[in-house]
């Protein structure tokens, strides 16, 4: 059993208690989290026993937020590790901060100092690496880096400690004043260095994009919008795709009519109000159509492909490429309910899966340009499979698709690619190790999908800076396989009655209030640098925005580029401009 302790001084207590420390975890050099138990031991004499969540703090302690203590993380090994904790950064929002690698000691590390050291190390080393590769740094970044580094150095040796020592002040007074000054300097260092990290990320994406465009004026990257089959069922009350084909394919009337049909499918609205859907299509050059077991086969052996067929016809009529799947979506509530009858019969489950995948691929072969075989099998889900069964199930899905459609590329998608789920549950497989095993299986896997869901209370990836996100994509790039990246970010608070998953949105910034307009702006501001980072990476072949319109049935709450009242969000205008300027 290994414990890592961090001292939270009184001067740093307010910053710490605004962090999401109950979700913090430890990881090794590979970035794979250990299962971790967190506890905070307040230093105030009126509080006894460990605190496992901010909700456990007494009311008087919450009100003051000025008492420190000891933050302890417990795991099964006693090797060195890095701490990852989500903290609020002034002017930026919540971001994951990382310490450097620390030894597992009986003594406590100084938390705020180690977080500042980690920020300083990450920004300086990544800037040096990219600069050696040809990146040009600007004056703003240089100034932020110099200022942040100076604040970090000030936190290591506060000036007041030197002055008081020379003046003969009492040791207690000297320590208290020095501790307060050190904490203040460390927090300033973190704030400025994280601003430098954002600036560095922008420099990388803009210059890398310029280099790509010098060789490829129009990027071939797929920018896809997620479409659910329920949308199709609700939207095809008017002109059908087959009726549209009765007109001449070259006639303007035929093109307008078929576009309207797809617009309705994307917007999830009646055909008489299809102008909103018309704003969606110019923003995307592909559609990620959900062709999923839980949506199609409500009763064993009786799949209903009608709604999916209509949307695929419409995509073909307007020239949109199609990503089909995930054929198996391994999340609670997204698999057929009748599978619970097979809890103890894995062979029967495997047989039922094979029959469904065969029927689905045979039905849509030639209409799908990329198969998304399965999503989330790396995470413990409703099927409750052990590691061996997960691999057999995954390989069975891949083998069946390759057998029925040997020419269309197939990918497998990973939930929570940073592996946050491993920090809380022993069940589950390391995401990058799972992907590596599938790529080595010899089944012709064409690439890996990475599903990032930021800002939700369940199954989310903790919010990263553009710099951290770029480093994460580079880590996945070491597998030498093309990547498809799916993004889900909420643009409104509260319950979304049209969403399949009832997870709740969580703000990505403590400064955001409950207004939907503020959330929509937050969605755009958080997503923009991530998307530009992805487009700058040649290994990323497709980006999927998971949600068209919140008016239609969808999976993730409030994630659409159009809100539940039919109003376009800032994200839609950004994606439309991006496609006009950069994409085919």
């Amino acid at each position: 059993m290994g414990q890592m302790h961090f001292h939270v001084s009184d001067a740093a207590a307010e910053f710490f208690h605004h962090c999401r420390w109950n979700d913090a975890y430890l990881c090794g050099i590979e970035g794979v989290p250990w299962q971790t138990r967190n506890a905070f031991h307040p230093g105030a004499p009126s509080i006894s026993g460990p605190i496992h969540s901010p909700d456990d703090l007494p009311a008087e302690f919450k009100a003051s937020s000025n008492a420190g203590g000891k933050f302890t993380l417990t795991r099964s090994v006693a090797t060195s590790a890095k701490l990852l904790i989500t903290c609020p950064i002034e002017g930026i929002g919540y971001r994951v901060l990382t310490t450097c690698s620390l030894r597992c000691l009986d003594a406590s590390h100084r938390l705020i100092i180690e977080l500042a050291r980690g920020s300083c190390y990450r920004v300086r080393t990544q800037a040096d690496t990219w600069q050696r590769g040809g990146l040009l740094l600007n004056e703003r970044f240089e100034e932020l880096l110099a200022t942040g580094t100076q604040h970090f150095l000030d936190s290591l040796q506060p000036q007041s400690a030197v002055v008081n020592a020379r003046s003969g002040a009492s040791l207690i007074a000297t320590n208290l004043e020095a501790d307060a000054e050190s904490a203040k300097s460390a927090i300033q260092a973190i704030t400025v260095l994280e601003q430098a990290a954002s600036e560095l990320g922008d420099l990388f994406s803009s210059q890398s994009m310029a280099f790509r465009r010098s060789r490829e004026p129009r990027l071939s990257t797929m920018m896809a919008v997620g479409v659910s089959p329920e949308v199709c069922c609700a939207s095809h009350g008017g002109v059908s795709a087959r009726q549209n084909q009765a007109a001449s394919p070259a006639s303007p009337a035929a093109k307008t009519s078929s576009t309207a049909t797809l617009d309705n499918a994307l917007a999830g609205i009646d055909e008489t109000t299809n102008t909103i859907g018309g704003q969606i299509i110019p923003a995307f050059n592909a559609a990620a159509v959900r062709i999923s077991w839980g949506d199609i086969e409500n009763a064993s052996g009786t799949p209903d492909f009608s709604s999916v067929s209509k949307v695929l016809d419409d995509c073909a009529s307007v020239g949109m490429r199609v990503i089909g799947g995930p054929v198996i979506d391994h999340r609670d509530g997204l698999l057929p309910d009748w599978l619970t009858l097979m809890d103890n019969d894995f062979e029967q489950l495997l047989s039922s899966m094979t029959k469904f995948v065969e029927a689905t691929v045979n039905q849509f072969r030639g209409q799908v340009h990329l198969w998304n075989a399965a999503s989330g099998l790396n995470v413990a889900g409703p099927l409750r499979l052990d590691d061996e069964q997960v691999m057999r199930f995954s390989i069975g899905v891949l083998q069946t698709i390759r057998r029925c459609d040997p020419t269309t590329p197939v990918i497998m998608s990973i939930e929570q690619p940073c592996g946050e789920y491993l920090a809380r549950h022993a069940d589950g497989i390391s995401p990058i190790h799972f992907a590596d095993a599938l790529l080595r299986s010899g089944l012709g896997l064409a690439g890996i999908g990475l599903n990032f869901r930021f800002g939700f209370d369940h199954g989310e990836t903790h919010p990263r800076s553009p710099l951290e996100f770029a480093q994460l994509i580079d880590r996945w790039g070491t597998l030498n396989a093309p990547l498809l990246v799916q993004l889900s970010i909420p643009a409104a608070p509260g319950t979304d009655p049209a969403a399949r998953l009832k997870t709740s949105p969580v703000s990505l910034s403590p400064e955001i209030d409950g207004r939907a307009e503020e959330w929509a702006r937050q969605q755009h501001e958080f997503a923009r640098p991530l998307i530009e980072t992805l487009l700058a990476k040649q290994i990323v072949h497709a980006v999927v925005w998971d949600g068209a319109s919140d008016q239609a049935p969808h999976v993730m709450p409030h994630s659409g580029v159009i809100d539940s009242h039919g109003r376009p969000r800032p994200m839609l205008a950004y994606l439309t401009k991006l496609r006009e300027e950069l994409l085919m």
Side-chain angles (χ1 to χ4, degrees):
M1 187 68 67
Q3 288 187 328
M4 189 168 285
H5 307 287
F6 293 91
H7 171 64
V8 180
S9 65
D10 290 349
E14 184 175 1
F15 177 85
F16 173 76
H17 291 299
H18 282 92
C19 297
R20 295 172 179 170
W21 54 264
N22 51 315
D23 290 330
Y25 60 88
L26 299 170
C27 72
I29 192 171
E30 292 182 329
V32 178
W34 280 288
Q35 186 179 9
T36 310
R37 296 196 310 275
N38 303 346
F40 176 66
H41 302 263
S46 58
I47 304 173
S48 61
I51 301 297
H52 298 283
S53 166
D55 295 334
D56 297 336
L57 289 169
E60 62 273 15
F61 187 77
K62 292 180 182 178
S64 63
S65 294
N66 60 0
K70 183 168 68 172
F71 178 44
T72 300
L73 299 96
T74 304
R75 59 196 167 123
S76 58
V77 296
T79 58
S80 60
K82 297 179 180 180
L83 169 69
L84 284 80
I85 182 171
T86 303
C87 303
I89 310 299
E90 184 180 354
I92 295 177
Y94 286 106
R95 293 293 183 272
V96 169
L97 298 181
T98 309
T99 68
C100 297
S101 185
L102 301 172
R103 290 187 297 164
C104 197
L105 303 173
D106 292 335
S108 297
H109 300 281
R110 292 186 294 173
L111 177 66
I112 197 71
I113 297 294
E114 295 304 331
L115 292 177
R117 190 194 311 276
S119 293
C120 187
Y121 172 79
R122 287 196 313 277
V123 177
R124 295 186 71 89
T125 55
Q126 190 62 66
D128 181 68
T129 300
W130 280 344
Q131 191 174 26
R132 290 173 185 271
L135 186 73
L136 300 177
L137 305 178
N138 61 15
E139 292 183 5
R140 171 173 166 75
F141 172 75
E142 298 280 9
E143 181 181 350
L144 288 170
L145 182 61
T147 303
T149 302
Q150 186 58 54
H151 282 310
F152 169 61
L153 295 175
D154 292 341
S155 71
L156 295 177
Q157 188 175 12
Q159 185 64 27
S160 60
V162 178
V163 173
N164 289 339
R166 290 174 179 171
S167 64
S170 69
L171 182 61
I172 294 178
T174 297
N175 288 342
L176 288 175
E177 186 176 354
D179 188 59
E181 187 177 335
S182 176
K184 181 179 178 181
S185 295
I187 293 172
Q188 288 175 332
I190 291 170
T191 301
V192 175
L193 288 167
E194 290 303 312
Q195 291 173 354
S198 297
E199 181 69 18
L200 182 61
D202 288 343
L203 289 171
F204 168 80
S205 60
S206 61
Q207 293 179 35
S208 298
M209 185 70 69
F211 178 77
R212 284 198 68 182
R213 294 193 68 186
S214 68
R215 300 187 172 194
E216 188 182 359
R218 288 281 176 177
L219 304 184
S220 59
T221 307
M222 283 196 291
M223 181 67 70
V225 61
V227 185
S228 295
E230 297 94 337
V231 175
C232 317
C233 296
S235 63
H236 279 269
V239 180
S240 69
R242 291 176 175 80
Q243 288 173 323
N244 293 333
Q245 292 172 358
S248 170
S251 69
K255 184 175 181 180
T256 301
S257 180
S258 61
T259 301
T261 308
L262 181 60
D263 290 347
N264 295 335
L266 292 172
I269 54 178
D270 188 78
E271 190 163 358
T272 59
T273 57
N274 59 15
T275 54
I276 297 177
Q279 297 177 14
I280 292 179
I281 291 178
F284 301 96
N285 57 19
V289 181
R290 277 187 63 85
I291 307 174
S292 191
W293 198 2
D295 301 335
I296 292 173
E297 193 171 0
N298 292 325
S300 178
T302 58
D304 180 4
F305 299 115
S306 58
S307 59
V308 176
S309 295
K310 292 174 182 178
V311 139
L312 294 181
D313 289 343
D314 295 339
C315 289
S317 68
V318 295
M320 295 185 80
R321 291 175 286 179
V322 172
I323 302 168
V327 182
I328 308 295
D329 195 334
H330 191 231
R331 285 182 285 175
D332 288 324
L334 299 181
L335 284 170
D337 293 336
W338 51 268
L339 286 183
T340 55
L341 302 175
M342 303 181 186
D343 274 351
N344 300 318
D345 193 339
F346 177 72
E347 297 302 328
Q348 186 181 359
L349 171 66
L350 205 60
S351 175
S352 298
M353 176 274 295
T354 301
K355 291 177 182 178
F356 170 76
V357 174
E358 283 181 350
T360 301
V361 176
N362 288 331
Q363 176 75 23
F364 299 121
R365 184 175 56 238
Q367 295 178 276
V368 171
H369 301 91
L370 174 66
W371 285 108
N372 187 358
S375 175
L377 287 171
N378 59 301
V379 179
L383 294 182
R384 296 194 292 275
L385 306 177
D386 60 35
D387 289 358
E388 180 185 353
Q389 290 173 332
V390 166
M391 292 306 300
R392 286 185 59 194
F393 194 88
S394 303
I395 290 173
V397 176
L398 292 173
Q399 286 178 327
T400 305
I401 295 178
R402 301 310 298 143
R403 183 177 69 252
C404 298
D405 188 357
T407 59
T408 303
V410 183
I411 68 166
M412 184 75 75
S413 291
I414 305 296
E415 285 290 320
Q416 291 183 272
C418 299
E420 288 91 348
Y421 56 93
L422 295 173
R424 297 293 168 261
H425 304 285
D427 297 332
I429 306 173
S430 163
I432 199 163
H433 293 155
F434 178 64
D436 184 52
L438 292 174
L439 289 168
R440 293 173 183 270
S441 66
L443 296 175
L445 195 64
I448 295 295
L450 304 176
N451 298 338
F452 292 98
R453 313 187 196 283
F454 298 103
F456 297 97
D457 68 351
H458 178 71
E460 73 151 357
T461 295
H462 298 172
R464 260 74 176 171
S465 68
L467 174 62
E468 289 272 312
F469 192 66
Q471 293 172 332
L472 177 63
I473 297 300
D474 288 341
R475 189 179 305 126
W476 279 94
T478 59
L479 296 178
N480 294 319
L483 300 178
L484 177 149
V485 177
Q486 184 182 88
L487 298 175
S488 301
I489 303 170
T495 303
D496 184 348
R500 289 280 302 276
L501 294 181
K502 299 309 177 184
T503 178
S504 298
V506 176
S507 177
L508 294 168
S509 172
E511 301 172 3
I512 296 298
D513 58 26
R515 291 181 298 164
E517 295 81 3
E518 288 292 300
W519 279 69
R521 180 178 58 82
Q522 173 186 252
Q523 180 192 56
H524 168 249
E525 292 180 353
F526 185 85
R528 179 194 60 78
L530 303 187
I531 291 175
E532 291 174 2
T533 297
L534 293 172
L535 293 178
K537 301 282 187 181
Q538 291 187 337
I539 200 167
V540 177
H541 288 206
V543 179
V544 177
W545 186 264
D546 186 21
S549 171
D550 288 347
Q551 288 184 299
H554 48 279
V555 178
M556 299 302 296
H558 301 299
S559 61
V561 292
I562 293 173
D563 67 19
S564 58
H565 301 289
R567 297 172 302 207
R569 288 172 171 145
M571 198 66 213
L572 179 59
Y574 166 73
L575 291 172
T576 302
K577 182 179 179 181
L578 197 67
R579 187 191 173 190
E580 290 176 354
E581 295 179 352
L582 298 178
L583 303 177
M584 289 183 178

